[in-house]
Amino acid sequence: QLVESGGGLVPPGGSLRLTCAASGIMFSIYAMAWYRQAPGKQRELVAAITSGGSIDYVDSVKGRFTISRDNAKHTVYLQMNSLKPEDTAVYYCNSPQYPLNWGQGTQVTVSS
């Protein structure tokens, strides 16, 4: 099970920290990722972190977003800084390696 939280309404330039709590899996061996889906658009992978800690980002968020994980807490985080209106979307976490059932996501709205 995946449960995302931490979304909200922030002005452009603001920050948010998203949290994804995973249960029922051997979390430490899973690569994990954050995805987002904006209205009328396909879901896209935003950031990923392997079990070994290797990280990758989509170009549009490089330098602004940071993904991290805490294996002891079965949790993956997404620190989002310098938010832009185009970051507005529902954000989800999942494993790109062994996909799980999608959670409900958390809404991020960037607007003045």
Side-chain angles (χ1 to χ4, degrees):
Q1 182 181 7
L2 300 167
V3 179
E4 302 92 348
S5 62
L9 171 63
V10 294
S15 298
L16 284 173
R17 188 191 195 206
L18 307 185
T19 299
C20 169
S23 61
I25 61 173
M26 292 182 66
F27 182 82
S28 62
I29 69 170
Y30 278 62
M32 295 297 296
W34 283 96
Y35 300 78
R36 67 185 179 188
Q37 187 166 21
K41 295 187 177 181
Q42 290 190 332
R43 189 173 293 167
E44 67 168 342
L45 190 150
V46 173
I49 183 167
T50 68
S51 59
S54 296
I55 290 171
D56 199 11
Y57 300 97
V58 68
D59 285 347
S60 60
V61 308
K62 285 182 179 177
R64 301 188 298 121
F65 290 11
T66 302
I67 189 172
S68 61
R69 65 189 296 160
D70 185 333
N71 288 337
K73 295 182 178 180
H74 288 203
T75 301
V76 61
Y77 304 98
L78 187 67
Q79 177 67 44
M80 306 187 296
N81 299 327
S82 302
L83 282 161
K84 303 176 180 180
E86 51 263 43
D87 295 318
T88 295
V90 180
Y91 284 71
Y92 304 86
C93 66
N94 210 323
S95 174
Q97 183 181 24
Y98 306 113
L100 307 167
N101 290 333
W102 291 96
Q104 83 287 352
T106 186
Q107 175 70 49
V108 172
T109 303
V110 185
S111 175
S112 55

